[in-house]
Amino acid sequence: MTAASRARLLAGVGRFRDAEEAVRSGLIELPSDPELLALLAGLLRLQGRGPDALDAADAAVSAAPHLAGTHIERAECLLLSERPAEALAEAEEAVRLDPAHPPAHRVLARTLVSHRDFGRARDAARRALALDPESVPDLLTLAEIERHAGRRDAARDAVRQALARDPENADGRWMIALLDAERLRVGSAMRGLRGLAADHPAQLGGVAMTWPIRGLLSGMRRGLLVGLLLAGSLALSALAWPSALLLARAAAATVAAVMIFFSVRVLIPAGRLPWRCLGLLPPRTRRAVACGLVAASATVTLLLWYAVSTHSPAMVLCAGAVGVLLAAGRAERS
């Protein structure tokens, strides 16, 4: 068995570190082998080691610039490094070199999504499917395009076609859970993720189970910021037009009620599992989430206080709580 074959077998069961070692052993004998270099780049990319992956991909392209596969891998690494313009150039070069190779069209579709060119991305994915109609990765790529384009029904249809071909495909099951989550079908999404975590523990750990809490905070950051700006503007207008005070109170009460309803709508179907899994987050992220929860709760309470009492200090304190909430969100993402 070759080093490349052994590495692919190991990667197929999620043993990326062992696969990397197998590739590096092969590179000792064949240091300029483009297949091994591209495979190494892919393994490093899957481990989230972007700069190292791009270095390996650069070496693969230098060793075999005439092979579409090296450009495909470099395009993927450039996408991970958030360099979409360069990624698009590499993907287009891969298609030029081998227009009958479905993965070349697939990576082109993915790079076009990063440019929000959904029409051309859809065409590229369908070209890949025309070349290989049974391809599960190409169907899932089409589903991802449709999801980003806001066409969730079309995305779900593509995923279902993929799962009809490979019912246990982890990426397809993840996509279904993601689509359920985006439509606030929280219970269904959590059931899907539980099953996925049980079947593929190496690919989906408990951290993913915290998405109801983290997703709720993301939505509350946007909603409370907009609500604060609206209620605050009306409160300031009341200095000149006293009748605007009633509108400011109504706006504060409405925003608070919507946020409470949103929280109940997400957290009750999610159950206790997301809260149990918070302890699996990295310490910095866990602290940011905890801080965000406190700040969001304080903001809603202060909005209700203002709606009932119209005390101006409540609005000032509310602005401070929203500032903490936004800062916690930045810390969580960093």
Side-chain angles (χ1 to χ4, degrees):
M1 181 182 293
T2 66
S5 299
R6 183 167 182 272
R8 288 193 177 93
L9 287 174
L10 290 168
V13 294
R15 295 171 58 184
F16 298 127
R17 287 283 187 180
D18 293 336
E20 179 188 343
E21 291 179 8
V23 170
R24 291 191 184 279
S25 296
L27 285 170
I28 293 174
E29 297 181 6
L30 300 169
S32 298
D33 185 284
E35 180 186 12
L36 288 174
L37 288 168
L39 185 53
L40 176 62
L43 290 168
L44 293 170
R45 174 171 54 82
L46 291 171
Q47 295 175 69
R49 295 158 61 186
D52 293 338
L54 186 55
D55 287 343
D58 288 343
V61 170
S62 296
H66 60 287
L67 294 180
T70 60
H71 294 279
I72 290 171
E73 187 51 54
R74 188 165 190 269
E76 293 283 9
C77 292
L78 288 166
L79 278 177
L80 181 64
S81 301
E82 297 183 354
R83 293 160 61 179
E86 295 173 73
L88 179 58
E90 287 292 328
E92 289 175 336
E93 178 64 8
V95 170
R96 186 192 69 81
L97 288 168
D98 194 350
H101 189 43
H105 295 278
R106 181 165 67 243
V107 76
L108 176 59
R110 286 167 42 76
T111 59
L112 288 167
V113 168
S114 70
H115 289 266
R116 302 194 65 79
D117 190 345
F118 300 122
R120 288 180 62 202
R122 194 177 292 115
D123 290 342
R126 287 173 176 165
R127 176 58 180 161
L129 282 167
L131 293 166
D132 184 3
E134 298 301 311
S135 171
V136 170
D138 292 333
L139 282 167
L140 292 177
T141 297
L142 179 59
E144 188 67 24
I145 293 166
E146 301 293 15
R147 186 179 75 85
H148 282 290
R151 301 174 57 188
R152 292 192 177 92
D153 288 338
R156 186 176 290 272
D157 181 64
V159 178
R160 284 173 174 163
Q161 291 183 53
L163 290 175
R165 292 161 173 77
D166 182 6
E168 297 304 315
N169 184 274
D171 292 331
R173 293 167 65 186
W174 166 261
M175 180 74 73
I176 288 291
L178 186 59
L179 290 169
D180 283 337
E182 289 177 347
R183 287 192 168 178
L184 285 184
R185 297 172 179 168
V186 180
S188 178
M190 288 299 293
R191 286 192 295 273
L193 288 177
R194 284 191 194 99
L196 186 55
D199 294 340
H200 302 275
Q203 297 182 38
L204 185 70
V207 172
M209 297 299 178
T210 65
W211 74 263
I213 298 171
R214 300 176 72 182
L216 172 64
L217 280 176
S218 178
M220 293 188 78
R221 282 193 291 270
R222 295 191 294 269
L224 288 173
L225 177 60
V226 172
L228 173 65
L229 292 174
L230 175 60
S233 299
L234 290 170
L236 289 174
S237 299
L239 297 175
W241 298 283
S243 59
L245 184 59
L246 183 61
L247 292 175
R249 295 173 65 183
T254 300
V255 171
V258 169
M259 292 298 103
I260 291 171
F261 173 79
F262 181 43
S263 301
V264 170
R265 178 73 176 79
V266 171
L267 294 179
I268 288 181
R272 291 177 293 178
L273 183 60
W275 299 100
R276 292 173 178 169
C277 292
L278 281 179
L280 300 175
L281 294 173
R284 179 184 176 127
T285 304
R286 187 168 62 248
R287 288 192 295 269
V289 169
C291 183
L293 288 169
V294 172
S297 300
T299 304
V300 171
T301 302
L302 289 166
L303 284 172
L304 289 173
W305 180 29
Y306 179 80
V308 172
S309 65
T310 70
H311 288 318
S312 55
M315 191 58 69
V316 174
L317 292 171
C318 186
V322 169
V324 173
L325 178 61
L326 295 176
R330 286 192 295 271
E332 181 188 342
R333 293 189 296 270
S334 64

